[in-house]
Amino acid sequence: MNRIARIAAGATGAVALLAAPVPAFAAASTTATTTVTTCGWSGLQAGLSTKVCADVTGDSVVIYGQIGMAGPPSPGTPWPPAPKELLTRLSADVTGGNSLGAVNGRTVFQISTVRVDGPTATVPCGSTVHASFSVEALGWGPSPVTVDVPVGC
């Protein structure tokens, strides 16, 4: 088979593939609900950066907090920094409505960003979820960060 015949055969095959019907599962995947992630402003505290986020998928809400480094270490700071044992509190509620729950815990932070999982709930469409996340340790108290997230469905 010469080169021109191979190109023609390849083009004919490509046309046949493009003209084939689309499988039924492709239509089902386009109707999937999208997850929207919203995070509040970061808070700075004792060299740490904290923030609270919410993932909203339809009427389902997942709340979580994040703890990370506030920035590069100051010159002369020992590296890696010593691990810090932190007390965490993460809570959420529907504005003007019920509490979605609270999670209190302990976590050890050294360098890598830490995710603290919180309440997961189904909430009424059209409502707003308010979440709060705070971190404290021996020698320094909590400095909460918040986020308000609309649940549009």
Side-chain angles (χ1 to χ4, degrees), residues 116-128:
V116 177
D117 291 319
T120 298
T122 301
V123 298
C125 294
S127 60
T128 299

Side-chain angles (χ1 to χ4, degrees), residues 17 19 25 27 51 53 70 102 109 112:
L17 285 174
F25 67 85
K51 66 181 172 180
C53 301
F109 177 82
S112 300

Side-chain angles (χ1 to χ4, degrees), residues 86-90 103-107 116:
L86 306 173
L87 302 174
T88 60
R89 176 170 172 74
L90 185 55
V103 176
N104 298 314
R106 293 178 181 271
T107 190
V116 177

Side-chain angles (χ1 to χ4, degrees), residues 4 16 26 62 74 102 112:
I4 294 178
V62 176
S74 300
S112 300

Side-chain angles (χ1 to χ4, degrees), residues 11-153:
T12 303
V15 169
L17 285 174
L18 292 174
V22 176
F25 67 85
S29 67
T30 60
T31 61
T33 305
T34 303
T35 298
V36 177
T37 300
T38 304
C39 295
W41 294 103
S42 295
L44 302 176
Q45 181 179 9
L48 300 178
S49 172
T50 58
K51 66 181 172 180
V52 61
C53 301
D55 290 341
V56 178
T57 307
D59 62 354
S60 176
V61 180
V62 176
I63 306 295
Y64 59 95
Q66 289 183 333
I67 307 166
M69 297 289 289
S74 300
T77 303
W79 194 258
K84 294 180 185 181
E85 183 174 356
L86 306 173
L87 302 174
T88 60
R89 176 170 172 74
L90 185 55
S91 62
D93 57 50
V94 175
T95 304
N98 296 330
S99 170
L100 301 179
V103 176
N104 298 314
R106 293 178 181 271
T107 190
V108 175
F109 177 82
Q110 187 167 15
I111 299 171
S112 300
T113 300
V114 175
R115 178 178 162 142
V116 177
D117 291 319
T120 298
T122 301
V123 298
C125 294
S127 60
T128 299
V129 172
H130 174 79
S132 176
F133 179 55
S134 65
V135 175
E136 61 184 293
L138 185 62
W140 42 279
S143 181
V145 289
T146 62
V147 69
D148 291 305
V149 181
V151 180
C153 299

